[in-house]
Amino acid sequence: PMRLRLQQFSGVAPKVSRQLLPDNMGVVARNCRLLSGELRGLHNVGLLHQFASPTQYAVRIPNDPDDVWVGWAEDDIDFSRGPIVNDTYQRYYWTGEESYLSVNTLARLQSGDPSYKAGTPPPATACSVTPGNDGTSGIQETRAYVYTFVNELGEESAPSPPTVASGESNATWDLALLQLTPTDAAGRIPVVKRRIYRTVTGDSSALYYFVDDVDDITTTVYSDTIESSSVVQRTVCNTFDWDQPPDNLQGLTSHPGGFFAAFNGNEVFLSEPYRPYAWPVAYILSVEHDIVGLAIYNNMLMVMTTSNPYYFAGTHPSNLSPTQSQSVEPCLAKRGIVATLQGVLYPSPNGLVLFNQAGASVVTNSILSPDDWVTQFSPTTLKAAQRGLQYLAFKDVNNGFEYSPAEPLGQFSTLDRFTNVDNIITDRYTGDIHLISDNNVYLWDDVTKAPVYYTWKSKEFDVPRPLNFGAAIVKLEEYDTDAEEPVVDAEEKEAWNTTRMARPLHPIGFTPVGAPRTEDLLPVGYPPSFYDETLGGDRTKYPEGGSPLFITDPSFDPVGDVAYLKVYGDRKLRSSLTIRHNQMMRLPSGYKAHYWQFELVSNVNIYSLAVAETGKELMEI
C-alpha cells in the first residue's frame, strides 16, 4: 500500500527539482509562518499612523505622552539621532531628502517646522586687530587672533583666517569683527554669537586660547584686556579642521564610536566624534568602486559597492583600517541592505549575500540559482527590513519574500497578500517591521489581527506505480465553517481570464448579470473545480456572480476562516475539497497517476496531511 504523511512543513527551494525536494518541503509557500513545523498564516497588518501628505518613508520617535511621526515623500531616507553628549535639543539628522545633510530638533519636528542644512560655515574674513601701545609695560608680544561662529544650538564653526599683530602685552587690543554672519547662512541654524581666540607669545604649542564670546551678533568691535597669564588657563580652540558636511551625502549611518558615516561616489565621509555637524576633510576615505550603501556590523563600517565589498575596522575616524573582500559581489539595491546579528545581508546578481569579517558569501545558494534570483525576485528593486535574523523584502508593491536563516523549517517563503507596499522599515526602538502603504504606516504581522490566507503546495511525489489516492485527512485547528467560500488559486484565475478573453464572443455573453449560461461557454482547459458543488459553486453563474472573468486583485479574499485541499495527479488538478475538522475525505476515483502533489489553502493552523489509497490504509498511518 502507498501512503504519504506530510508534517513539519518547510519552505521552498526553487533551485531544487520539485521531485528531489525533501518530503516536507514545498514548491509553493506563500504568506506562511513556518517557524513551528505547522502551517500558519502571517497576521494581517495593523494601522499605526496616517499621514495627510504623500509619504514614502516614515520614522517613529518615542516621546511622552505621544510618539512623534515624521514622514517624507522620498522613499530612500537614512535617519539617525545625533550622537551628541547631553543633547537637550534632541537633534536628528538625515540624508535623502535634499542634496545636503539635514538636521532638526525634536521640538521642531513635533511642530512641523522645516529642517535645517547641517553645519555652520566659518568666517571668511579675518578680524582687524589694533595692538595696544599705551607705554604701560613696554613688553612687546606677537599675537594671532581668530574667531568662530556659534549657532543657537551651540554648534561652533571652524575659525576665520588668523590675523597677526604685535603690541604691548598689558595694553588694550582692539578688534574689528568684520563678518557678522556666515556667507552661506540660508537655510542653516541661525548664528547667535561669535567666539574669539588668540595665541600667547612663548607658548611653543601655538594653541589658540578662548578669549570671549561676543553675544551681540550686531556688534563689530571688541576690546581685549585679558592678560596672557590668564588666557593660557582657558580652553583652546579645537575646531580648525571642523569642515562643513559636504553636499550630496548619501546613506547616513551612525557608528558606535559616536560619529556619522556617509558616502558620495567612491568616497566615505566621516564626522568628528560626537560632533555630527563637523566633517573633517582629513577623515575622508576612498574605495576602488562606487559605493551603493553602508551599514554597521559588530562595530565595523561595512561598505557595499558596485564590485567587491569592504569593511573598515576601528573606533575613531582617524584610525579606520580597510579590508576588501576578495569576492566580487556587487550590491544591486541600496534599500536592500540590512544589518543582522550575523552580518550584513544585501542583494547581488548571484543571490542574497551575507557579508561579515569572514568575507562575502551567497547564503541563498542552496535555495536559489542566480537565474531564479534575478528573474523571480528582481534584486535591483528590493526594499528590505530586518527583524532579528530575518530578512523581509519586497521586490514591488505587491510581492516579496522572507528569508530566515536561523529557521531550518522556514528559511525561504514568498509573499503576495500585502498590497500597495511603498516601503518597509525596521523600527529602531522596538525592532518591529513597519510597512508604508498609501501614506499610512502599518505594523507588520500584527498579532491582534486575523491571519491572512496562505498557500502551501507540496513537492511532486513520484510513486513507484500508477495509483489512485482515494482518501485524505488533514489535522488542523478547528474553525467556523458557516462562512466558507470557494477559494480559487490566483494563477488559475489568470489562466481562466486569459483563455476566456481569447475565445470568440458567445451570444450568452451578452445576457444580463447573473443570467444562466451553458457548458459550451467554458474555455478550453476550464478547471471544473471552480464550480465544484462541494465548494458551493454553481455552474449556472459566472465566476464572480455576474462577470465572465475572475477578480484577480490580491486584496479580494474569501470571507471568514477557510481550509481547502487541492490534489494534483500527473500535474492536473483532480480534486478541490473543503477540509472538515480532521475528518477523512474521499478523493475522486476513475484515474491513476504517477506524479502527485497536494496543495493547502487556509488561514487556520494546519498540523499534518495524510493520504492513502483507501480509507482503511489511511487509518493505519
Side-chain angles (χ1 to χ4, degrees):
M2 186 67 194
R3 293 169 288 193
L4 295 174
R5 182 178 181 86
L6 303 182
Q7 56 189 6
Q8 294 291 305
F9 298 98
S10 186
V12 297
K15 182 179 180 179
V16 182
S17 165
R18 57 186 169 183
Q19 292 187 3
L20 300 181
L21 288 166
D23 287 356
N24 66 334
M25 214 162 189
V27 296
V28 175
R30 288 196 297 262
N31 314 304
C32 301
R33 177 171 291 284
L34 296 165
L35 309 183
S36 60
E38 64 194 45
L39 287 174
R40 300 180 182 178
L42 290 164
H43 291 89
N44 223 317
V45 297
L47 180 64
L48 293 175
H49 186 76
Q50 294 178 295
F51 285 96
S53 57
T55 302
Q56 295 277 309
Y57 193 96
V59 296
R60 181 187 66 89
I61 302 174
N63 191 54
D64 187 22
D66 298 314
D67 292 344
V68 177
W69 287 92
V70 188
W72 291 265
E74 296 77 14
D75 68 349
D76 187 13
I77 300 293
D78 292 286
F79 182 90
S80 182
R81 183 171 179 178
I84 302 172
V85 178
N86 297 323
D87 182 16
T88 58
Y89 297 101
Q90 294 192 43
R91 276 160 276 192
Y92 292 88
Y93 294 78
W94 62 91
T95 55
E97 181 183 24
E98 304 286 354
S99 61
Y100 49 78
L101 178 64
S102 300
V103 58
N104 218 342
T105 65
L106 178 61
R108 290 176 60 86
L109 290 171
Q110 279 181 296
S111 56
D113 294 330
S115 62
Y116 293 115
K117 183 177 182 179
T120 301
T125 305
C127 61
S128 174
V129 179
T130 303
N133 286 291
D134 58 4
T136 57
S137 67
I139 301 175
Q140 295 288 310
E141 69 175 352
T142 301
R143 300 176 183 175
Y145 281 88
V146 296
Y147 65 102
T148 64
F149 289 129
V150 181
N151 65 30
E152 65 183 16
L153 301 186
E155 300 173 356
E156 188 173 2
S157 74
S160 66
T163 299
V164 180
S166 298
E168 293 183 2
S169 60
N170 294 336
T172 299
W173 294 55
D174 294 324
L175 281 65
L177 306 176
L178 301 179
Q179 190 170 347
L180 303 181
T181 58
T183 304
D184 180 21
R188 297 186 187 271
I189 301 170
V191 166
V192 294
K193 61 185 175 183
R194 285 155 294 170
R195 184 165 291 162
I196 301 171
Y197 297 89
R198 83 176 201 220
T199 59
V200 174
T201 299
D203 184 0
S204 59
S205 62
L207 298 175
Y208 282 78
Y209 296 92
F210 171 69
V211 175
D212 202 357
D213 282 339
V214 180
D215 294 331
D216 186 349
I217 198 62
T218 64
T219 297
T220 58
V221 295
Y222 178 82
S223 296
D224 179 14
T225 60
I226 305 172
E227 295 185 5
S228 295
S229 58
S230 297
V231 166
V232 294
Q233 306 298 319
R234 300 185 176 189
T235 59
V236 299
C237 179
N238 59 357
T239 70
F240 277 91
D241 59 353
W242 285 14
D243 301 291
Q244 303 168 68
D247 287 342
N248 301 314
L249 289 180
Q250 303 175 60
L252 185 71
T253 304
S254 184
H255 191 280
F259 56 90
F260 277 152
F263 71 91
N264 183 19
N266 70 328
E267 294 180 322
V268 179
F269 297 83
L270 305 168
S271 75
E272 185 70 22
Y274 309 107
R275 302 290 188 276
Y277 47 85
W279 294 66
V281 172
Y283 294 162
I284 298 176
L285 306 170
S286 66
V287 295
E288 181 179 359
H289 303 280
D290 283 348
I291 299 168
V292 178
L294 308 175
I296 299 296
Y297 166 69
N298 201 20
N299 290 341
M300 294 181 294
L301 177 64
M302 317 299 281
V303 181
M304 278 56 68
T305 77
T306 56
S307 184
N308 308 66
Y310 292 73
Y311 69 82
F312 288 81
T315 58
H316 191 278
S318 63
N319 64 17
L320 293 186
S321 174
T323 300
Q324 181 191 57
S325 170
Q326 298 307 302
S327 301
V328 180
E329 293 293 350
C331 179
L332 298 183
K334 176 177 174 292
R335 290 288 297 125
I337 299 171
V338 164
T340 74
L341 296 175
Q342 292 183 338
V344 176
L345 291 167
Y346 69 88
S348 85
N350 301 308
L352 198 60
V353 171
L354 177 67
F355 179 41
N356 53 32
Q357 66 267 39
S361 58
V362 181
V363 291
T364 53
N365 189 50
S366 63
I367 299 172
L368 298 164
S369 69
D371 285 345
D372 293 330
W373 173 247
V374 172
T375 59
Q376 297 181 36
F377 298 100
S378 185
T380 59
T381 62
L382 285 187
K383 296 178 181 180
Q386 160 264 346
R387 182 167 64 178
L389 294 176
Q390 186 182 52
Y391 182 92
L392 179 65
F394 280 83
K395 66 175 184 177
D396 56 44
V397 296
N398 297 324
N399 297 279
F401 65 87
E402 288 183 285
Y403 172 67
S404 303
E407 300 294 342
L409 293 178
Q411 281 202 355
F412 201 86
S413 59
T414 59
L415 305 165
D416 69 357
R417 304 297 297 187
F418 304 91
T419 58
N420 301 323
V421 177
D422 297 315
N423 220 331
I424 178 170
I425 302 160
T426 300
D427 185 281
R428 295 292 299 274
Y429 300 96
T430 64
D432 292 332
I433 291 178
H434 293 172
L435 300 185
I436 312 296
S437 176
D438 297 329
N439 307 328
N440 298 326
V441 183
Y442 295 91
L443 175 63
W444 164 261
D445 195 24
D446 185 346
V447 295
T448 67
K449 304 297 181 182
V452 300
Y453 298 93
Y454 62 82
T455 300
W456 188 89
K457 190 174 184 179
S458 74
K459 64 170 283 186
E460 187 172 78
F461 292 92
D462 181 4
V463 297
R465 55 180 174 81
L467 56 83
N468 175 262
F469 281 115
I473 187 169
V474 178
K475 293 187 179 296
L476 76 167
E477 187 175 293
E478 291 190 0
Y479 66 95
D480 181 9
T481 59
D482 293 340
E484 292 173 14
E485 279 192 12
V487 168
V488 181
D489 185 88
E491 294 177 1
E492 294 180 82
K493 288 184 178 183
E494 292 284 2
W496 163 282
N497 291 348
T498 300
T499 308
R500 176 67 186 87
M501 289 187 290
R503 286 175 60 84
L505 288 175
H506 189 280
I508 298 178
F510 297 100
T511 56
V513 172
R517 59 181 171 80
T518 59
E519 292 297 326
D520 63 353
L521 183 64
L522 302 177
V524 176
Y526 156 76
S529 63
F530 285 7
Y531 296 97
D532 192 324
E533 292 181 359
T534 62
L535 295 184
D538 185 347
R539 290 181 175 274
T540 67
K541 303 293 182 185
Y542 284 119
E544 308 296 352
S547 169
L549 302 178
F550 279 99
I551 296 172
T552 57
D553 181 353
S555 65
F556 177 76
D557 287 329
V559 177
D561 295 332
V562 294
Y564 297 99
L565 169 66
K566 293 184 179 183
V567 179
Y568 296 82
D570 285 343
R571 299 169 187 171
K572 296 180 181 179
L573 181 64
R574 303 291 186 171
S575 178
S576 188
L577 303 172
T578 301
I579 299 171
R580 303 284 183 180
H581 300 312
N582 306 333
Q583 296 177 8
M584 184 178 70
M585 296 171 285
R586 295 291 182 180
L587 303 181
S589 59
Y591 71 96
K592 292 184 179 180
H594 259 301
Y595 307 116
W596 292 86
Q597 281 181 291
F598 308 93
E599 184 175 341
L600 295 164
V601 179
S602 186
N603 64 339
V604 297
N605 298 348
I606 293 179
Y607 310 125
S608 66
L609 163 67
V611 294
E613 293 182 70
T614 67
K616 181 179 179 181
E617 293 169 358
L618 185 66
M619 294 300 101
E620 296 174 358
I621 298 180

